[in-house]
Amino acid sequence: MARKTGSHSNITGPRIREVALSLFAQQGFAAVSMRKIASEVGVQAGALYLYTPDKQTLLFDLMQSHMDELLAAFDIVEIAGSARARLEQFARFHIGFHMERPDAVFVAYMELRNLEPANFTKIEELRRQYESLLENIVKAGQVEGIFDVPDSKLATMALIAMLTGVNTWYREGGRMSRAEVEDVYAQMALKAVGA
Amino acid sequence: MARKTGSHSNITGPRIREVALSLFAQQGFAAVSMRKIASEVGVQAGALYLYTPDKQTLLFDLMQSHMDELLAAFDIVEIAGSARARLEQFARFHIGFHMERPDAVFVAYMELRNLEPANFTKIEELRRQYESLLENIVKAGQVEGIFDVPDSKLATMALIAMLTGVNTWYREGGRMSRAEVEDVYAQMALKAVGA
DNA sequence: GTCTATAAGATGATAGAC
DNA sequence: GTCTATCATCTTATAGAC
């Protein structure tokens, strides 16, 4: 029962974030106490405050990291080319990225309402940036005359919702492989805008 | 400050449900205390227990009512006809119904994880019933040979996610009218399945 | 039907020992 | 770096007065 005193800062920090993300996704930010997180990590509640100033900041850091990763990852794989090719690539990227980290995606969306106003504003700005990447593709397709969408903003929101929705049902090791799911969603996305 | 004792059972009951739904949607089930609900309603916390045995049942009743209403409402408007016509009608119904009650939709989806196992099972069953209404239309379109979808289950989930997503951005009195939004989503849904 | 008072326990965060 | 102990407050739910 008793736990040895010792130095684990390089392990405990990441573990706290990992455990917190998982618990926030499963039970919700407000339903998870600092004691629950600490217990799962294997430390006492007081020790958490060596790694985060408070619970709110812990949530905000998790959400900000997720959004930063998302933007950085797309930045690396983004391609030039026709709007059609770019949309297909965005759909495949989005699906793949979201399938790989369901907890982070869930928390980043569901816990927005638990952010303090200043933190909310920052996360919303990152989200807006990401959405505008897709909207630019949709607009390019309109300009090229190959997409049939009456409103680029609405089409963007519809596409993102459709693609993100994969996380409500996809489970690793299920009936379909990740690649199959990516294929089907990418085709539906292209058809939805009339490409 | 002091509040008169009096008889308000026919007003207080619905008010509690109304206030609870709104607060749960804004702040989340776990973040909303019985005292907050009572305070907003204008009664003391103890009085809530005349209308619900406990907080969990209050949540469950709100979610169950929503799902029952959803199924009953579709039952009334459901049409016969081609898969194309039925899908367009489903899309318009779904969009309209969801736009009218964003709080209930949000709670019914976001607070699933706060339901006790037995309650979760019941709500999931109602959700499954609703999804199967759409899947039947998708399958009919496959049989008729007018829909191009490799997997009816995946297409169903993608369509529902796309349509429900309207609630992430639509606000009454915004740039587009409800009818315009319905039109555009219905057309995107049809195109997404290749109709 | 509603109130006040209360039980029994959980919560976020801090101080100081080691 | 972590623990134990603690503060002040909040939590759900109930009992009994009116």
Side-chain angles (χ1 to χ4, degrees):
Chain A
M1 232 48 168
R3 195 182 158 78
K4 283 286 190 332
T5 288
S7 175
H8 300 287
S9 75
N10 45 351
I11 289 185
T12 305
R15 272 293 288 158
I16 290 171
R17 294 167 57 86
E18 198 179 302
V19 165
L21 184 67
S22 165
L23 289 176
F24 289 165
Q26 282 165 49
Q27 308 174 31
F29 175 74
V32 174
S33 68
M34 295 300 263
R35 280 169 182 78
K36 272 189 209 160
I37 298 171
S39 149
E40 188 100 348
V41 171
V43 296
Q44 291 298 314
L48 299 183
Y49 293 89
L50 294 166
Y51 300 93
T52 184
D54 51 38
K55 196 186 171 193
Q56 166 74 204
T57 305
L58 177 56
L59 174 63
F60 173 69
D61 286 346
L62 290 171
M63 293 173 75
Q64 191 175 41
S65 300
H66 171 68
M67 293 307 296
D68 285 347
E69 261 185 65
L70 175 65
L71 287 163
F74 186 71
D75 196 51
I76 288 171
V77 303
E78 191 175 14
I79 58 169
S82 72
R84 190 185 200 289
R86 288 168 67 204
L87 176 56
E88 174 167 354
Q89 200 244 2
F90 181 94
R92 289 179 181 280
F93 165 78
H94 186 95
I95 288 278
F97 191 90
H98 282 62
M99 284 165 111
E100 273 171 7
R101 34 180 84 61
D103 283 354
V105 170
F106 199 70
V107 169
Y109 174 54
M110 303 284 254
E111 303 301 349
L112 282 170
R113 63 192 172 180
N114 284 306
L115 289 175
E116 286 167 5
N119 290 337
F120 179 84
T121 304
K122 288 178 202 154
I123 299 296
E124 271 300 289
E125 166 59 17
L126 294 172
R127 177 181 306 276
R128 205 199 48 72
Q129 275 179 45
Y130 182 67
E131 286 169 4
S132 77
L133 295 172
L134 175 57
E135 192 174 359
N136 287 340
I137 298 175
V138 173
K139 283 178 177 162
Q142 287 179 310
V143 171
E144 292 175 27
I146 59 168
F147 290 174
D148 173 25
V149 294
D151 185 274
S152 66
K153 181 74 187 162
L154 191 157
T156 299
M157 298 310 285
L159 287 172
I160 291 215
M162 184 178 84
L163 296 172
T164 305
V166 70
N167 276 4
T168 63
W169 63 271
Y170 175 80
R171 296 293 173 265
E172 201 112 19
R175 184 166 61 86
M176 298 177 80
S177 74
R178 208 190 101 162
E180 284 173 320
V181 176
E182 262 183 46
D183 286 346
V184 178
Y185 270 97
Q187 292 315 307
M188 285 189 79
L190 286 170
K191 283 190 292 192
V193 296
Chain B
M1 230 51 166
R3 195 182 158 77
K4 285 286 193 330
T5 287
S7 178
H8 299 287
S9 75
N10 45 351
I11 290 186
T12 305
R15 271 294 287 158
I16 289 172
R17 295 168 55 88
E18 199 180 301
V19 165
L21 185 67
S22 165
L23 289 176
F24 289 166
Q26 282 165 50
Q27 309 175 29
F29 174 73
V32 175
S33 68
M34 294 299 264
R35 276 171 183 75
K36 273 190 209 159
I37 298 171
S39 148
E40 188 100 349
V41 171
V43 296
Q44 290 300 312
L48 300 183
Y49 292 90
L50 294 165
Y51 300 93
T52 184
D54 51 39
K55 196 186 171 193
Q56 166 73 206
T57 305
L58 177 55
L59 174 63
F60 173 68
D61 286 346
L62 289 172
M63 294 173 74
Q64 190 176 40
S65 300
H66 171 68
M67 293 306 298
D68 284 347
E69 259 186 67
L70 175 64
L71 287 163
F74 186 71
D75 196 52
I76 289 173
V77 303
E78 191 175 14
I79 58 168
S82 72
R84 191 183 199 290
R86 288 168 66 204
L87 176 55
E88 174 167 355
Q89 200 245 1
F90 180 95
R92 289 180 180 279
F93 165 78
H94 186 95
I95 288 278
F97 191 89
H98 282 62
M99 285 165 110
E100 273 172 8
R101 35 178 84 59
D103 283 353
V105 169
F106 199 69
V107 169
Y109 174 54
M110 303 283 254
E111 303 300 351
L112 282 170
R113 61 191 174 183
N114 284 306
L115 288 175
E116 286 167 4
N119 289 338
F120 179 84
T121 304
K122 288 179 202 153
I123 300 296
E124 271 302 287
E125 166 59 17
L126 294 172
R127 176 180 308 276
R128 203 199 49 72
Q129 275 179 45
Y130 183 67
E131 286 169 5
S132 77
L133 294 172
L134 175 56
E135 192 175 358
N136 287 339
I137 298 174
V138 173
K139 283 178 177 163
Q142 286 179 309
V143 170
E144 292 175 28
I146 58 167
F147 289 174
D148 173 26
V149 294
D151 187 272
S152 66
K153 181 73 187 165
L154 191 157
T156 299
M157 298 310 284
L159 287 173
I160 292 215
M162 183 178 85
L163 296 173
T164 305
V166 70
N167 277 6
T168 63
W169 64 270
Y170 176 80
R171 296 294 172 265
E172 202 112 18
R175 184 167 60 87
M176 299 176 78
S177 74
R178 208 190 103 160
E180 283 173 321
V181 176
E182 263 183 45
D183 286 347
V184 179
Y185 269 97
Q187 291 314 306
M188 286 190 78
L190 286 171
K191 282 190 293 192
V193 296

